[in-house]
Amino acid sequence: MSLPPLVEPAEGLTVDEVRRYSRHLIIPDVGMAGQKRLKNARVLCVGAGGLGSPALMYLAAAGVGTLGIVEFDVVDESNLQRQIIHGQSDVGRSKAESARDAVREINPYTNVVLHETRLDSSNVMEIFGEYDLIIDGTDNFATRYLVNDACVLLGKPYVWGSIYRFDGQASVFWAEHGPCYRCLYPEPPPPGMVPSCAEGGVLGVLCASVGSIQVTEAIKLLTGVGDPLVGRLMVYDALEMTYRTVKVRKDPECAVCGKNPTVTELIDYEAFCGTISTEAAEAAKDSTITVRDLKDMFDAGKDFLLVDVREPNEYEIVSIDGSVLIPKNEFLNGDALERMPQDRPIVVSCKTGQRSAEVLAVLKGAGFSDAVHVGGGIVAWVNQIEPDKPSY
């Protein structure tokens, strides 16, 4: 489905800009008019991480006149495997500032606007209102639904991407011309069912593959060329090196873009998606210990079973001495319960405390009333107890 250009062209290009963008200018479908539209465009990237890195770099190189960056995090060494806009010297720096400096190095003609804040219902409408198009590079469901609903309410298109291990997805959601994100995913998955990249990992180069597709779609929308991914979901399998597209139809009963929408204003997206299930939150309420509590238990020689519920490859990277590995799924399907002792307390841990809270709920439901879990997990243990151990 061909769509009209999203922005009007700028008045002109300088001599230096003509030299810089000459390979675009000689493409008939882009030409001078298309490059002027890119110069006049205002694009916002939500996130300067795995997907935001290649997106920002190629948007700048393409000549987008104004780039906004929403990012509140700092650069961590574990980011560098895939977040190529940052370098070793940026570790500990603001991601937004690091990304801005990289963009300026790529293209000094691009104006960069920083929004160093956590995107939420109180600021999203004001921030999005300044831009023509949104690129969503987030990795959590609460922000994805927030971005979608804000774009629908503002009538703006956004380019969405998702990555996990060797798999990627991308689409363009624009309620005025096709489906929105809620048409594809009306409800978020149950908490804990879909692991994040931090839990399951991601092939670094996959970010470049999906991020470059997002930029391609953004350029097509801004200049009005080609057939954008409106109403289509692109699925990429890096292991098989296959691309396929799936049609996505507009849902007439969609809660936000349907005929009779029930979501007419922004909601509490953290509550809507939930970081952990209600059962896990209830189980953890009075059964959470700190890593210092755990160390005190070791130091006092207490007899207990420490169960690490992460995956084997995570356990291989770093673990707490004395722990036993039993992945979360073995508790969810019940296989691990028969191995749990009845004569000593059970302590469960994971990377940050979310998976262990879900396992704790299973244990409580099975009658292990004295079980507890470690808040903060292995990350807190390394930071506070054994800083010489590797983290991830």
Side-chain angles (χ1 to χ4, degrees):
M1 175 175 59
S2 179
L3 295 173
L6 190 59
V7 296
E8 294 298 318
E11 290 186 3
L13 301 178
T14 67
V15 173
D16 288 339
E17 287 172 330
V18 170
R19 293 195 189 101
R20 175 178 289 267
Y21 308 127
S22 63
R23 298 305 186 271
H24 273 179
L25 299 178
I26 59 177
I27 300 175
D29 289 343
V30 179
M32 187 67 74
Q35 195 63 49
K36 288 179 181 178
R37 295 185 196 278
L38 293 176
K39 180 178 180 178
N40 211 27
R42 299 177 61 86
V43 176
L44 178 71
C45 275
V46 183
L51 292 176
S53 289
L56 286 164
M57 295 170 77
Y58 271 107
L59 287 166
V64 170
T66 298
L67 279 179
I69 304 173
V70 179
E71 182 60 79
F72 65 91
D73 204 359
V74 298
V75 180
D76 182 82
E77 195 166 18
S78 66
N79 302 149
L80 303 182
Q81 163 257 9
R82 64 201 177 282
Q83 300 180 18
I84 58 171
I85 203 167
H86 314 295
Q88 184 66 40
S89 62
D90 296 313
V91 172
R93 288 186 69 201
S94 155
K95 280 188 181 180
E97 294 181 1
S98 169
R100 175 200 61 201
D101 293 348
V103 166
R104 286 177 174 172
E105 185 66 23
I106 292 170
N107 191 346
Y109 301 111
T110 295
N111 177 42
V112 183
V113 181
L114 300 187
H115 304 276
E116 294 189 81
T117 183
R118 185 187 293 271
L119 198 67
D120 58 32
S121 298
S122 69
N123 59 25
V124 65
M125 300 295 277
E126 181 181 357
I127 293 174
F128 281 17
E130 302 176 22
Y131 297 92
D132 303 304
L133 179 144
I134 313 300
I135 290 187
D136 182 8
T138 59
D139 63 353
N140 68 87
F141 287 100
T143 308
R144 287 173 182 170
Y145 282 97
L146 170 67
V147 170
N148 176 79
D149 293 0
C151 284
V152 172
L153 294 174
L154 290 168
K156 294 183 182 291
Y158 78 101
V159 184
W160 170 79
S162 176
I163 51 176
Y164 179 69
R165 292 186 175 170
F166 297 95
D167 301 318
Q169 298 180 355
S171 189
V172 173
F173 297 113
W174 195 357
E176 293 184 9
H177 298 279
C180 77
Y181 181 77
R182 281 183 186 259
C183 295
L184 179 62
Y185 299 113
E187 299 286 341
M193 290 298 293
V194 179
S196 66
C197 291
E199 295 176 350
V202 60
L203 184 70
V205 72
L206 186 71
C207 302
S209 300
V210 176
S212 64
I213 290 169
Q214 289 182 283
V215 175
T216 303
E217 292 303 301
I219 291 173
K220 287 157 61 179
L221 289 168
L222 294 169
T223 60
V225 303
D227 184 8
L229 282 172
V230 175
R232 293 183 293 149
L233 174 69
M234 191 223 68
V235 181
Y236 171 51
D237 183 336
L239 284 181
E240 299 295 330
M241 194 48 70
T242 59
Y243 291 86
R244 63 188 178 92
T245 56
V246 179
K247 287 186 177 181
V248 181
R249 300 188 184 279
K250 192 176 183 69
D251 181 2
E253 305 302 321
C254 177
V256 68
C257 77
K259 296 178 181 177
N260 299 294
T262 56
V263 178
T264 56
E265 59 184 16
L266 301 179
I267 62 176
D268 184 340
Y269 293 91
E270 293 291 342
F272 175 63
C273 294
T275 54
I276 60 175
S277 68
T278 302
E279 294 80 7
E282 184 64 27
K285 185 166 61 175
D286 298 313
S287 300
T288 300
I289 65 172
T290 68
V291 291
R292 296 199 179 277
D293 293 331
L294 178 62
K295 186 176 186 304
D296 290 342
M297 292 171 66
F298 277 121
D299 292 344
K302 291 187 176 182
D303 185 22
F304 63 96
L305 176 65
L306 176 61
V307 181
D308 190 319
V309 301
R310 297 175 297 152
E311 295 300 309
N313 55 320
E314 296 179 87
Y315 191 80
E316 187 177 355
I317 296 171
V318 59
S319 62
I320 300 174
D321 294 341
S323 64
V324 174
L325 174 67
I326 305 179
K328 181 184 77 172
N329 282 343
E330 295 188 29
F331 285 93
L332 298 183
N333 64 27
D335 291 346
L337 294 177
E338 63 183 20
R339 289 181 271 166
M340 294 298 101
Q342 301 285 345
D343 57 346
R344 53 181 174 148
I346 300 169
V347 179
V348 288
S349 70
C350 64
K351 182 177 182 179
T352 60
Q354 292 189 8
R355 282 175 282 179
S356 60
E358 299 290 344
V359 170
L360 182 64
V362 174
L363 289 170
K364 296 281 190 182
F368 296 92
S369 58
D370 59 349
V372 297
H373 90 120
V374 182
I378 191 71
V379 170
W381 179 269
V382 171
N383 287 339
Q384 300 178 38
I385 308 299
E386 294 189 86
D388 292 336
K389 283 194 170 184
S391 187
Y392 70 105

